[in-house]
Amino acid sequence: MRFAKVTAALLAVSAAFGSEVPAQQKQKIDPARVDGTVKSAFPTAPADWQARLTPDETMQQCSAANNTPPAATFETIQARARASIQYPADGKFVGNWKAGEGLAQSGYGLRFTDTTPNRVNGGNCYACHQITKQEVSYGTIGPSLLQYGKARNFSEADAKRAYEKIYDPHASFPCSLMPRFGTNKVLTIAQIVDIVALLMSPDSPANK
Ligand code: HEC
């Protein structure tokens, strides 16, 4: 019963917001209006949330260009993302895949309800990606990451690339829909290294 109601509501929303509108009739999006709507949706947000309601330069540039910026802006966004990446001090990009799997599954962090002391943020990777065959619940906004390391011969260069991807996806794909886990301080360097291990370790379930 409840599911039926939710599904009907979702259908109404998607109809209202144009999933049935042909691409050429898509309305132009006014970023200022979107920002205003986001701000007004959180009138009681705690003080430390205010900064999160103001899009940073990368978000502003992506929104203004509907995520397809002209070449010069594309390069500016990419350069800014690259410059923001901090690397592990020991130069090792592949940590502990078991810890990485826990982080990939966890959506904890940055929500009003996330107030448990000392509980670490997760990466919520499964919200958008398939990673292992064992996990049956995953989103498909991002590509499947099954066999990610195996397909790349577990190379050190690809482990570094995966680290950079997770740290700041705009470094390789400006205006990516993937969150900037390192740049925005959602995950620590050590946590990202553990998630890289989930993708790049030969013994990780992602590569079985
Ligand atoms: C909100 C959705 C979303 C979340 C959450 C997300 N991603 Fe992504 N990811 C994407 C999208 C979309 C792409 C494709 C565009 C791009 O490459 O930036 C992508 C691309 C990638 C790629 C590159 C794939 C390739 O073919 O080279 C990797 C690796 C990756 N994500 C890993 C992760 C990991 C690990 C996490 C969790 C820490 C994560 N993603 C969380 C949406 C997401």
Side-chain angles (χ1 to χ4, degrees):
M1 191 57 195
R2 218 173 140 199
F3 278 121
K5 265 193 198 152
V6 170
T7 310
L10 284 176
L11 283 175
V13 167
S14 76
F17 283 93
S19 64
E20 267 132 45
V21 178
Q24 64 270 26
Q25 289 176 23
K26 252 191 189 169
Q27 279 189 342
K28 205 169 167 350
I29 295 162
D30 173 8
R33 199 172 152 209
V34 174
D35 294 345
T37 306
V38 170
K39 275 209 172 128
S40 66
F42 296 96
T44 58
D48 59 344
W49 270 53
Q50 293 308 326
R52 291 173 61 194
L53 299 178
T54 307
D56 66 8
E57 220 175 343
T58 294
M59 286 296 102
Q60 284 175 33
Q61 287 171 326
C62 291
S63 297
N66 215 349
N67 287 341
T68 42
T73 315
F74 186 97
E75 275 163 28
T76 310
I77 294 169
Q78 188 161 42
R80 185 187 300 127
R82 284 197 180 138
S84 79
I85 299 178
Q86 288 175 25
Y87 291 90
D90 62 3
K92 293 204 170 78
F93 293 104
V94 183
N96 174 336
W97 71 258
K98 283 186 186 150
E101 168 71 335
L103 292 166
Q105 290 187 342
S106 165
Y108 187 86
L110 303 168
R111 301 169 298 192
F112 283 124
T113 46
D114 295 341
T115 52
T116 312
N118 303 326
R119 189 166 164 194
V120 298
N121 290 345
N124 211 14
C125 314
Y126 282 101
C128 297
H129 295 283
Q130 179 181 32
I131 307 179
T132 65
K133 286 184 192 140
Q134 285 82 344
E135 178 55 71
V136 293
S137 170
Y138 56 85
T140 53
I141 293 173
S144 171
L145 304 175
L146 266 185
Q147 311 277 309
Y148 194 83
K150 202 173 178 184
R152 289 163 178 75
N153 293 317
F154 305 108
S155 88
E156 189 59 31
D158 283 301
K160 182 172 179 240
R161 267 195 277 275
Y163 177 89
E164 291 167 336
K165 182 83 218 172
I166 300 165
Y167 201 102
D168 196 322
H170 298 261
S172 54
F173 192 137
C175 299
S176 170
L177 300 182
M178 178 165 151
R180 293 167 282 175
F181 293 100
T183 301
N184 284 347
K185 309 236 177 300
V186 178
L187 299 172
T188 64
I189 289 175
Q191 287 176 314
I192 296 175
V193 164
D194 286 340
I195 297 174
V196 169
L198 177 66
L199 302 180
M200 293 300 296
S201 289
D203 53 347
S204 157
N207 294 309
K208 298 293 177 198

